[in-house]
Amino acid sequence: IVCTSATELKGYATGLWMEECAGPYYVFEEAGYDITIASPKGGPIPLEEKSLTEYFFTDASKKFLHDHKALAKLTHSVKLDTVDMNSVDAIFLSAGIAVVVDFVDCPPLKAAIEGLFADGKPVAAVCHAPVGLVQCVTKDGKPLVEGKKVAGFTNEEEIESGMEQAVPFLLETKLKELGADYEKTDNWGNKVCVDGNLITGQNPMSSEHAAKELVK
């Protein structure tokens, strides 16, 4: 599971959207996976405060924050460029709007995604995290998402969140520009696309669904 290291976006304090790590974490744990939490910088993962409030604070998130083993992985995340990708069976990109800071133009993430995808291993990303796919290409140099069914945070969801001026690009628009067959459902609905070994989800409500598709 790859999480953000970014703590701020244009003056807005941000970080990991807790559910997008916690939900998939327990799906993978139940499946018997050996889980590594990594990040661009390594070390403690910052948390998006809003993800710990009211109905955003899911049962999985609450369980995670009382799980010493899980918390240890989150507070001592592995620096992404130190991970031996030959030992990795799948990659799952968690989000929080912070990923627009450090998942874009991130060489270690690009290399990890391209290598695993080329090997036919599952590559999954939810909500804003498909920003990490934008930089990626296939072996023949084409955009990785070109011609593939993908989901991701919608333009309408970004505008509703009030952050459309803070992001470097609107994800829905960018994916379409790269030739993706972009699909979506209503704002904040559960939407997951599976196209071969590429798995993408629209928003936090899609993260556990995406994780379950990866496990299949």
Side-chain angles (χ1 to χ4, degrees):
I1 300 176
V2 183
C3 301
T4 185
S5 296
T7 60
E8 183 179 315
L9 171 63
K10 295 186 177 179
Y12 174 75
T14 186
L16 166 71
W17 193 268
M18 187 70 247
E19 193 280 333
E20 293 176 22
C21 175
Y25 181 92
Y26 289 113
V27 171
F28 299 148
E29 185 179 71
E30 185 177 340
Y33 288 12
D34 181 14
I35 306 165
T36 297
I37 295 180
S39 63
K41 292 183 178 179
I45 302 294
L47 299 180
E48 168 69 63
E49 185 177 346
K50 189 176 180 180
S51 71
L52 306 178
T53 60
E54 299 175 1
Y55 63 87
F56 297 124
F57 196 27
T58 63
D59 289 342
S61 296
K62 294 172 184 175
K63 179 180 178 180
F64 194 101
L65 293 183
H66 289 89
D67 183 334
H68 296 302
K69 181 180 178 182
L71 268 182
K73 293 183 179 184
L74 195 73
T75 54
H76 300 87
S77 73
V78 179
K79 193 167 184 284
L80 186 58
D81 64 7
T82 68
V83 177
D84 176 12
M85 287 298 160
N86 291 320
S87 68
V88 173
D89 296 310
I91 190 169
F92 189 100
L93 278 57
S94 300
I97 198 170
V99 297
V100 305
V101 176
D102 61 355
F103 278 19
V104 178
D105 298 325
C106 178
L109 184 61
K110 173 180 166 68
I113 293 169
E114 290 178 349
L116 291 168
F117 184 81
D119 289 342
K121 296 179 178 179
V123 171
V126 294
C127 197
H128 284 92
V131 298
L133 304 175
V134 167
Q135 64 191 327
C136 299
V137 295
T138 57
K139 288 180 178 178
D140 57 5
K142 294 180 180 179
L144 187 146
V145 298
E146 183 179 318
K148 296 181 180 66
K149 294 180 180 179
V150 297
F153 208 58
T154 71
N155 290 354
E156 290 179 356
E157 287 170 330
E158 199 72 82
I159 292 167
E160 189 175 323
S161 300
M163 297 298 288
E164 73 275 11
Q165 298 301 322
V167 295
F169 50 78
L170 292 172
L171 181 56
E172 175 183 341
T173 299
K174 177 64 73 174
L175 291 171
K176 289 177 178 177
E177 288 174 352
L178 292 171
D181 181 7
Y182 181 85
E183 297 184 1
K184 62 182 177 180
T185 188
D186 295 338
N187 287 5
W188 317 111
N190 176 7
K191 174 65 179 179
V192 170
C193 288
V194 180
D195 195 326
N197 57 321
L198 182 63
I199 304 159
T200 47
Q202 181 172 316
N203 49 41
M205 292 69 181
S206 313
S207 61
E208 287 190 11
H209 181 184
K212 289 174 182 176
E213 291 292 339
L214 186 153
V215 168
K216 284 183 178 179

